Amino acid sequence: SSVPMPLRGSLRLFGGGLGSARLFPCAAFKALRDGSPSGNLLFAGRKVGHASTSFFDSHIATCVTEKASTFLKPFMAAFRKYSAYPTHMGLSDFASAATDGKKVVD
């Protein structure tokens, strides 16, 4: 493992796979729009990372599972005040305006 020995025990609090993680694959895209804030998309992989150092050995998505260690559940629950889907990065804001900056009508 690439994680220093003193940290390995505490990493179990966050999830079993975190101790072997070497890469946390994420990607972000920014779409510039005239007269409107940019549209931003965020894609992430596993919350506990991947053992491989190759970005292309894993998938990424706009949501992650709600499966979490007992230690992390209270942190995730705090986000439920703001969203029924706290582990979803969402696409509705991105889709709210066209490239010319005009609001999209439902």
Side-chain angles (χ1 to χ4, degrees), residues 30-40 93-94 96-99 101 103:
K30 181 177 281 287
L32 302 177
R33 303 187 272 211
D34 293 334
S36 179
S38 64
N40 304 295
D93 185 59
F94 182 83
S96 67
T99 56
K103 292 286 180 194

Side-chain angles (χ1 to χ4, degrees), residues 14-106:
F14 295 97
L18 193 58
S20 62
R22 300 188 70 204
L23 179 73
F24 292 84
C26 294
F29 297 97
K30 181 177 281 287
L32 302 177
R33 303 187 272 211
D34 293 334
S36 179
S38 64
N40 304 295
L41 295 175
L42 177 63
F43 300 87
R46 290 180 67 209
K47 296 181 299 287
V48 294
H50 294 273
S52 171
T53 57
S54 173
F55 180 85
F56 298 103
D57 276 351
S58 60
H59 63 277
I60 56 175
T62 59
C63 62
V64 292
T65 67
E66 293 195 25
K67 179 181 168 187
S69 70
T70 305
F71 180 77
L72 284 179
K73 286 190 187 279
F75 295 103
M76 291 176 61
F79 287 97
R80 288 204 186 281
K81 292 182 211 173
Y82 309 101
S83 172
Y85 307 100
T87 59
H88 290 64
M89 272 106 17
L91 301 173
S92 58
D93 185 59
F94 182 83
S96 67
T99 56
D100 61 4
K102 293 181 182 169
K103 292 286 180 194
V104 174
V105 179
D106 289 339

